[in-house]
Amino acid sequence: MQLSENLSLAEVVRSETAKRKGISNMPTPEHIENFKKLAENIFQPIRKHFGKPIHISSGYRSKALNTAIGGSLSSQHCSGEAIDIDMDGTSITNAQVFNFIKDNLNFDQLIWEFGTDKNPDWVHVSYESTGKQRKQILKAVKSGGKTSYVPYK
């Protein structure tokens, strides 16, 4: 099933952890509809801008999968409203993707996930299915073994 021109449902449900642990990772019809909105408003504009495949490192997470990986209880990945993008090994940097989203798209949450000041390890972006986007921009940092989210500057 295609969610948009260049994004398939198979890409957003793929999970090595789910495979390894025998966890079902199939979204509900409502979650699929949420992913279609995210695909059209976030994924496709990124794909069109860069003109190259965009690599999703994490998409949908069933509650069981989210628990298995230690994800946030309120993760938008569980409702089909978030993807993580990781362009390592390509000619496009994660920072370029982050800045394109920040400067050009209407999003709910955008997170510079760890990494350095020049390039995040990956980019988290969400799109609120109701259309009410917070435009929240954060940076994930580790301190004392704990992750915290601070305003991106």
Side-chain angles (χ1 to χ4, degrees):
M1 168 189 273
Q2 286 297 118
L3 300 172
S4 68
E5 182 182 351
N6 299 106
L7 184 63
S8 70
L9 180 61
E11 288 175 89
V12 298
V13 300
R14 181 183 55 79
S15 167
E16 294 304 315
T17 301
K19 280 187 211 171
R20 201 170 43 253
K21 296 186 177 239
I23 297 170
S24 172
N25 197 41
M26 286 310 300
T28 66
E30 178 187 350
H31 295 162
I32 291 171
E33 288 305 310
N34 293 347
F35 263 123
K36 287 179 180 177
K37 292 174 185 174
L38 184 148
E40 290 299 330
N41 291 284
I42 303 293
F43 181 88
Q44 277 306 135
I46 297 167
R47 175 71 166 80
K48 184 178 179 187
H49 174 74
F50 290 104
K52 296 185 178 184
I54 302 302
H55 302 282
I56 296 176
S57 58
S58 182
Y60 182 71
R61 294 185 201 149
S62 64
K63 295 272 188 219
L65 177 58
N66 195 57
T67 299
I69 66 163
S72 165
L73 295 176
S74 61
S75 174
Q76 287 178 288
H77 286 279
C78 297
S79 58
E81 296 176 319
I83 55 174
D84 292 342
I85 298 170
D86 188 351
M87 298 303 292
D88 287 354
T90 73
S91 61
I92 303 164
T93 67
N94 292 330
Q96 287 174 303
V97 171
F98 180 92
N99 287 318
F100 174 75
I101 296 167
K102 177 175 65 71
D103 296 339
N104 297 284
L105 300 181
N106 190 22
F107 56 87
D108 186 50
Q109 194 175 61
L110 179 63
I111 304 175
W112 180 287
E113 297 277 6
F114 309 106
T116 67
D117 287 340
K118 295 190 181 204
N119 199 50
D121 288 340
W122 70 91
V123 176
H124 169 94
V125 61
S126 66
Y127 186 83
E128 203 343 285
S129 60
T130 64
K132 297 176 183 172
Q133 311 309 320
R134 293 176 289 175
K135 296 280 281 194
Q136 185 178 47
I137 306 173
L138 303 170
K139 183 174 183 178
V141 293
K142 281 240 191 250
S143 179
K146 286 191 160 193
T147 300
S148 59
Y149 297 90
V150 298
Y152 176 82
K153 295 177 185 175

